[in-house]
Amino acid sequence: MELTILIVTYDRPRELRATLDALIGHVRYSGLLHWHIADDGTPGNYLPELQRDYPGLPFTYTVTQRQGWGANVNKALQYPRMTDLIFLCEDDYVS
């Protein structure tokens, strides 16, 4: 079964990278993994840079324009490649 790791973020690129690093280091799943970032309109154009910095992690993303957590997540869940099984976390769940 395919699994999407959905990370919700807004304007915390350092925390997002730490979350990605933690998930990459700790997630073990024998099925196919998809990665998706739901961004609520972070200023600048950091997502293509993030893709360059993580070349082995082909992720997709959706962007809302400061519409809030619910609209951001709802848009991500409507993404065409979203799988039936989803692990959702925010970008600041790093210990």
Side-chain angles (χ1 to χ4, degrees):
M1 180 168 256
E2 296 181 19
L3 166 68
T4 298
I5 296 178
L6 172 57
I7 304 171
V8 181
T9 188
Y10 171 71
D11 202 15
R12 291 189 287 237
R14 188 181 76 235
E15 290 86 348
L16 176 57
R17 288 169 186 275
T19 300
L20 282 170
D21 292 339
L23 289 168
I24 291 166
H26 295 286
V27 169
R28 300 291 178 260
Y29 187 70
S30 61
L32 183 59
L33 277 176
H34 298 278
W35 297 77
H36 188 87
I37 297 176
D39 183 274
D40 195 25
T42 296
N45 193 20
Y46 81 100
L47 290 166
E49 177 183 313
L50 193 66
Q51 285 179 316
R52 284 190 305 271
D53 291 346
Y54 290 88
L57 187 69
F59 65 85
T60 55
Y61 56 85
T62 49
V63 178
T64 54
Q65 295 305 315
R66 300 302 298 139
Q67 296 174 343
W69 191 94
N72 188 18
V73 172
N74 284 337
K75 184 173 183 176
L77 292 174
Q78 294 171 7
Y79 189 76
R81 288 189 57 210
M82 198 57 58
T83 58
D84 290 336
L85 187 58
I86 299 167
F87 172 80
L88 185 151
C89 71
E90 296 180 14
D91 63 1
D92 57 356
Y93 286 6
V94 178
S95 54

